[in-house]
Amino acid sequence: MIPSNPESKKDKPTENPRKSTILSKAHSALEEIHTSIEYMKQFEDWEIRLLQENGIDFTNPKEVKRIAEYKPRFNAEDILPLLENKISAKKAKRYPERFDGWSITGLVQANINETKAASYPDRFDNMEIATLVQNDINADLAKSYPKRFNGWEIAELYLAGIKPEQAALCPKKTKTWEFIKLAQAAQQEQPESQQPPTIKGSTPE
């Protein structure tokens, strides 16, 4: 019979589970810090200052990652209105490149998705597109008006019943509202004192 080794009966030292947990958490924290530093490299100093002034915590790795998702397309000035209006980076980036953060915010507030916004040509900015949409003027109709007219003017012409081919007859030196009055007077014999139509949406000052 083989004698037993008394040392084999001794309990083997076991690893402290609490210590393992602490080390694992420390390792994860270091990795998050390293990742945050890499994300922060995408921002200029002025951007970090601006974002911090507006409540962004750059010591929070998750916060830094969320903000970095807007890069490289958007800078801090673009990101702030998007954050304020809870527009994710993924959603914002679906809009055409010609729109900045402020423009995208305006389009979202007007319930204009990226597909509809993209259907309007570059000659129209976000506010003009919103005015056209609010007045039921689709992209194809807006495109058919002469390029000399902006979105607000097209809305005025459309609401006055003036078609694109009629608008093309407007002399270049004649203001849009004056042309509308002349056209209405000629067609309906309305008094010249008639005011131009009121369009939906904001108009430039």
Side-chain angles (χ1 to χ4, degrees), residues 162-181:
I162 298 175
K163 298 178 180 180
E165 57 269 22
Q166 294 172 309
L169 300 175
C170 177
K172 291 184 178 180
K173 293 184 179 181
T174 301
K175 293 181 179 179
T176 304
W177 69 268
E178 291 176 331
F179 178 71
I180 290 172
K181 286 176 64 176

Side-chain angles (χ1 to χ4, degrees), residues 8-192:
S8 64
K9 295 182 179 179
K10 293 182 180 180
D11 294 334
K12 294 182 179 179
T14 57
E15 188 173 354
N16 188 328
R18 187 168 178 273
K19 180 180 178 181
S20 298
T21 301
I22 293 173
L23 289 173
S24 178
K25 288 183 177 179
H27 181 71
S28 297
L30 288 172
E31 285 186 342
E32 287 183 343
I33 292 171
H34 176 74
T35 302
S36 294
I37 292 172
E38 292 302 311
Y39 282 136
M40 287 180 67
K41 288 179 181 180
Q42 300 181 64
F43 295 90
E44 300 289 341
D45 291 343
W46 70 268
E47 291 183 286
I48 294 176
R49 287 195 299 270
L50 179 60
L51 290 167
Q52 286 178 325
E53 289 170 0
N54 284 273
I56 303 302
D57 183 9
F58 276 90
T59 65
N60 185 334
K62 291 182 179 179
E63 181 85 331
V64 176
K65 180 181 178 181
R66 182 171 70 94
I67 301 303
E69 288 175 352
Y70 290 92
K71 286 291 190 175
R73 176 175 169 181
F74 301 108
N75 63 30
E77 292 179 339
D78 291 313
I79 294 171
L80 286 175
L82 295 172
L83 289 174
E84 184 178 349
N85 289 275
K86 299 180 180 179
I87 302 170
S88 68
K90 184 178 180 180
K91 181 175 182 178
K93 289 181 177 181
R94 288 201 296 260
Y95 282 82
E97 291 279 346
R98 63 188 171 111
F99 298 116
D100 60 17
W102 290 98
S103 299
I104 292 170
T105 298
L107 291 167
V108 171
Q109 290 175 338
N111 294 318
I112 300 171
N113 62 34
E114 65 275 8
T115 302
K116 183 172 286 186
S119 68
Y120 288 85
D122 293 356
R123 62 189 265 212
F124 302 120
D125 64 24
N126 67 297
M127 294 181 67
E128 291 174 282
I129 292 173
T131 297
L132 293 168
V133 171
Q134 289 168 8
N135 289 279
D136 300 319
I137 303 170
N138 62 38
D140 289 336
L141 179 57
K143 291 174 188 177
S144 65
Y145 279 87
K147 291 184 178 180
R148 54 172 291 202
F149 297 111
N150 62 37
W152 293 285
E153 291 172 325
I154 290 172
E156 290 176 344
L157 292 164
Y158 173 76
L159 294 177
I162 298 175
K163 298 178 180 180
E165 57 269 22
Q166 294 172 309
L169 300 175
C170 177
K172 291 184 178 180
K173 293 184 179 181
T174 301
K175 293 181 179 179
T176 304
W177 69 268
E178 291 176 331
F179 178 71
I180 290 172
K181 286 176 64 176
L182 291 171
Q184 289 180 330
Q187 294 175 4
Q188 305 173 15
E189 297 184 353
Q190 293 181 349
E192 291 187 1

